[in-house]
């Protein structure tokens, strides 16, 4: 069960209407752990209600996004935690991907953020 990504575990538990394919996520590659997935309760906490969506640009990394939005890199882990449904590794983000980020305080510039 540890080898199943958070993303896959969340999709397994998700309501079919919330998924792009509008059906239960049940790939054959997970059939060996189906019972464990059905009873799993170890998912990370959900995302806060208020956040911004940003689009990852070529060359972006979570620490660079954090630096750009908050003036330091310490929020990179928070950004990663907010996107565990999409990310298995904080070093694997790609241009064009959308990510949730905390809403920066009013006094900080957030040029790369979109609402």
């Amino acid at each position: 069960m540890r080898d199943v990504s958070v993303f896959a575990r969340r999709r397994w538990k998700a309501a079919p209407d919330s998924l792009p394919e509008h059906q239960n996520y049940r790939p054959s590659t997970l059939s060996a752990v189906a019972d464990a997935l059905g009873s799993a309760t170890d998912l990370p906490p959900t995302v806060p209600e208020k956040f911004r969506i940003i689009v990852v640009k070529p060359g972006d990394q979570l620490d660079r996004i954090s630096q750009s939005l908050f003036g330091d890199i310490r929020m990179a882990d928070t950004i990663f935690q907010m996107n565990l449904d999409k990310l298995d590794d904080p070093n694997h983000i790609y241009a064009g991907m959308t990510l949730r980020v905390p809403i920066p305080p009013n006094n900080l510039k957030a040029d790369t953020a979109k609402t």
Side-chain angles (χ1 to χ4, degrees), residues 16-38:
D17 291 341
S18 69
L19 299 172
E21 59 274 9
H22 298 287
Q23 61 185 7
N24 283 323
Y25 179 71
R26 300 294 184 267
S28 60
T29 55
L30 296 177
S31 62
V33 292
D35 290 340
L37 283 168

Side-chain angles (χ1 to χ4, degrees), residues 31-94:
S31 62
V33 292
D35 290 340
L37 283 168
S39 61
T41 58
D42 62 341
L43 292 175
T46 56
V47 175
E49 284 186 35
K50 294 187 178 188
F51 56 86
R52 289 182 176 256
I53 301 291
I54 61 146
V55 178
V56 176
K57 298 175 187 167
D60 270 352
Q61 296 174 346
L62 292 184
D63 57 350
R64 289 182 186 165
I65 292 168
S66 177
Q67 180 69 37
S68 172
L69 294 176
F70 303 103
D72 66 50
I73 65 169
R74 290 179 285 180
M75 292 297 287
D77 187 59
T78 300
I79 297 169
F80 175 64
Q81 295 296 321
M82 289 179 73
N83 291 281
L84 284 174
D85 59 325
K86 300 178 181 193
L87 302 174
D88 291 325
D89 184 321
N91 297 313
H92 293 145
I93 65 171
Y94 305 97

